[in-house]
Amino acid sequence: MQAMILRHPGSPLEPVVLPERSPGPGEIRIRVTACGVCRTDLHVVDGELDTPALPIIPGHEIVGRVDALGDGVKHLRLGQRVGVPWLGYTCGTCLFCSMGRENLCERPLFTGYTRDGGFATAVIADARYAFDLGDDGEDASLAPLLCAGLIGWRSLVMAGNGKLLGLYGFGAAAHIIAQVAVAQGRRVFAFTKPGDEKGQAFARSLGAEWAGSSQEVPPAKLDAAILYAPDGRLVPLALAAVRKGGRVVCAGIHMSDIPAFRYDLLWGERELVSVANLTRQDGRDFLAAAAAIKIKTHITIYPLSSANQALADLRTGSFEGAAVLVP
Ligand SMILES: [Zn+2]
Ligand SMILES: [Zn+2]
């Protein structure tokens, strides 16, 4: 199989040809047809996250077809279209797993970080963590749902039911969650980097009633705000934009330092929370919602061998929506 592999954080991915292995008990082998490029992949490649299992094949927004079943896999069949997300395995026995919070598992494996991911022509996955994707929609269009959509969904649920919702950073996750929020009857306010008029127009085209710079004060106090951009300076700005009792959700796995801010930005029972990873229930809930709403992802397709270019373009923000690698 062909793959793009990370040997040393901070250096480019290398194209390699690897022997294909058979799935072990409880595993499946998937012929990858598309894999989204997530900001977390960029954090892994740039060495901003601790302890990736090097060398590692990144990629955790995997769409493909099952082409080999390990012993004991009964709920999936050969040829079935499945998706593999970031959550690749949980222990099932730690405090968090036993509380139903497997997203916080003490002994997890994460796809494309501590087990090999989908920047490849094939991937082995634990069958229990793969989602059935049905047969509606194009493979590449579905790929961003597996993380941008899923983590976006968890952060939206965490934001509560407030009507006025701010989205800071209008990339892959926000472009999906804006569609969900609008379908739920919410009013969306989109914040981009100052001067990013293309991004602001993109947000309006997806139903945002207001789009502006993250430095701006929105025209109404927000019930909640979700931060998708990995910039800690946005935290006090978002707290200032939400009403008393409002909530700010940090949705990224990595963020630059949050600057000191006045206590009165938090006072008034405002809440500041983070979202970590996903549960399989999040996946089932979100994929059902996505199908009902008929979410349309905006994607830029790159060949697998151009993974480094896709990462570079994500870093500079040179496309709207999401990048997807196709073998
Ligand atoms: Zn656990
Ligand atoms: Zn991701």
Side-chain angles (χ1 to χ4, degrees):
M1 66 177 218
Q2 293 169 328
M4 298 296 286
I5 204 164
L6 178 71
R7 295 191 193 279
H8 310 287
S11 53
L13 303 178
E14 285 173 41
V16 289
V17 176
L18 299 169
E20 225 159 71
R21 80 169 172 93
S22 299
E27 292 182 329
I28 50 173
R29 189 174 64 211
I30 298 162
R31 196 61 50 202
V32 178
T33 53
C35 186
V37 180
C38 174
R39 184 163 289 277
T40 299
D41 297 315
L42 204 50
H43 294 316
V44 171
V45 169
D46 288 348
E48 288 171 325
L49 301 179
D50 292 336
T51 62
L54 297 170
I56 187 79
I57 300 168
H60 55 272
E61 297 181 312
I62 305 169
V63 177
R65 299 265 171 189
V66 178
D67 86 334
L69 295 166
D71 284 348
V73 179
K74 301 276 183 248
H75 69 292
L76 297 173
R77 59 177 199 285
L78 291 174
Q80 187 171 355
R81 186 167 67 170
V82 293
V84 177
W86 171 248
L87 189 75
Y89 167 86
T90 55
C91 76
T93 56
C94 72
L95 172 68
F96 298 100
C97 282
S98 57
M99 287 194 297
R101 302 180 74 177
E102 65 180 1
N103 60 308
L104 302 178
C105 176
E106 298 276 26
R107 290 177 290 277
L109 289 176
F110 295 118
T111 311
Y113 182 45
T114 53
R115 69 178 293 158
D116 280 332
F119 288 7
T121 52
V123 65
I124 300 278
D126 184 320
R128 296 170 299 167
Y129 297 82
F131 299 114
D132 172 28
L133 291 181
D135 287 312
D136 288 341
E138 299 285 326
D139 294 1
S141 302
L142 293 174
L145 301 183
L146 271 304
C147 183
L150 250 164
I151 303 279
W153 170 263
R154 188 172 175 85
S155 61
L156 179 66
V157 172
M158 190 80 91
N161 293 322
K163 212 158 166 78
L164 277 66
L165 179 72
L167 302 177
Y168 284 77
F170 207 85
H175 103 282
I176 294 169
I177 292 311
Q179 297 176 54
V180 178
V182 168
Q184 291 174 335
R186 305 194 203 216
R187 298 167 58 191
V188 172
F189 299 74
F191 299 82
T192 70
K193 279 189 183 138
D196 181 10
E197 274 153 34
K198 254 177 80 182
Q200 291 162 16
F202 181 54
R204 279 187 218 100
S205 77
L206 293 174
E209 78 170 56
W210 178 91
S213 144
S214 54
Q215 307 292 320
E216 283 179 66
V217 177
K221 278 283 186 192
L222 305 174
D223 295 315
I226 306 173
L227 272 53
Y228 291 117
D231 183 351
R233 293 171 301 180
L234 296 172
V235 169
L237 292 169
L239 281 168
V242 300
R243 60 161 169 75
K244 286 184 285 188
R247 188 175 260 213
V248 173
V249 181
C250 301
I253 191 169
H254 171 81
M255 191 180 248
S256 58
D257 287 353
I258 301 170
F261 55 86
R262 297 191 322 272
Y263 176 60
D264 64 0
L265 288 179
L266 185 62
W267 194 74
E269 300 194 349
R270 289 176 182 84
E271 294 175 289
L272 177 60
V273 298
S274 69
V275 156
N277 313 315
L278 65 131
T279 66
R280 283 170 284 178
Q281 192 58 46
D282 292 330
R284 291 188 280 270
D285 293 348
F286 170 65
L287 291 170
I293 296 166
K294 302 206 187 307
I295 286 176
K296 193 175 176 321
T297 55
H298 292 245
I299 56 170
T300 302
I301 290 178
Y302 296 78
L304 174 61
S305 56
S306 299
N308 288 308
Q309 188 61 49
L311 288 164
D313 289 350
L314 175 59
R315 185 181 283 109
T316 55
S318 51
F319 54 78
E320 304 299 343
V324 177
L325 301 181
V326 172

